[in-house]
Amino acid sequence: MTDRYRGIIDVHIVLWRDGLVLLGERANTGYGDGWLNLPSGHLEDGESVVDGVIREAVEEIGITIDPADLRFAHVLHHRGESGAARIGFFFEALRWTGEPVNMEPHKCAGLLWADPNALPPNIIPYQAAGVRNCHLGTSFALHGWE
């Protein structure tokens, strides 16, 4: 019998404003410091992807999202250079309460709004693929399996 797949599940919040997407600059995390990514995090044990993305939105950027205002946008099955895989769920917030602010300055150097057609060169490639696919309306993709 083969081992069952046990991957990490990530949840990502995609906020659009005036055609731009919200990104944060990682800092002091030990992974991807100085690189940009969407507000995101790992799913916690016993948590649904919807609950996880709502929790991450509060924790990272201080906004509240009603589950009815979330739209599933994309799922990305990613394999990193080490061969480790993860599955990322990307949700677009149609509406939210509050103004996005950096709630974790110890892990984030700042927030910026970026053009999805000209993403900054220092965006984490996995995140860039997710943003591009959300922008294009693609619901599923593989990344790093080539």
Side-chain angles (χ1 to χ4, degrees):
M1 178 169 247
T2 61
D3 290 332
R4 290 184 187 218
Y5 181 83
R6 298 189 195 290
I8 294 171
I9 298 175
D10 299 322
V11 290
H12 309 267
I13 272 289
V14 183
L15 297 184
W16 300 106
R17 178 179 282 163
D18 301 325
L20 304 176
V21 65
L22 182 68
L23 301 173
E25 182 183 339
R26 299 180 64 86
N28 307 312
T29 67
Y31 170 77
D33 292 336
W35 286 75
L36 301 169
N37 69 326
L38 293 164
S40 57
H42 301 128
L43 197 62
E44 295 180 355
D45 190 34
E47 186 175 51
S48 76
V49 291
V50 170
D51 289 342
V53 80
I54 288 171
R55 174 185 50 77
E56 289 292 346
V58 171
E59 290 176 3
E60 293 195 7
I61 55 176
I63 63 169
T64 304
I65 304 168
D66 186 297
D69 291 328
L70 281 176
R71 177 174 55 205
F72 166 77
H74 182 67
V75 66
L76 187 65
H77 193 187
H78 168 73
R79 184 170 66 179
E81 292 177 11
S82 70
R86 60 193 332 119
I87 298 171
F89 287 86
F90 295 76
F91 289 89
E92 295 175 336
L94 305 176
R95 283 173 292 288
W96 61 86
T97 302
E99 182 62 24
V101 296
N102 183 4
M103 299 295 290
E104 297 181 321
H106 57 288
K107 295 196 297 187
C108 178
L111 302 176
L112 66 96
W113 293 92
D115 182 344
N117 295 308
L119 290 169
N122 64 326
I123 185 171
I124 295 172
Y126 163 49
Q127 297 271 325
V131 169
R132 285 188 199 103
N133 286 317
C134 288
H135 185 61
L136 294 171
T138 304
S139 61
F140 170 79
L142 295 173
H143 183 262
W145 293 91
E146 298 78 30

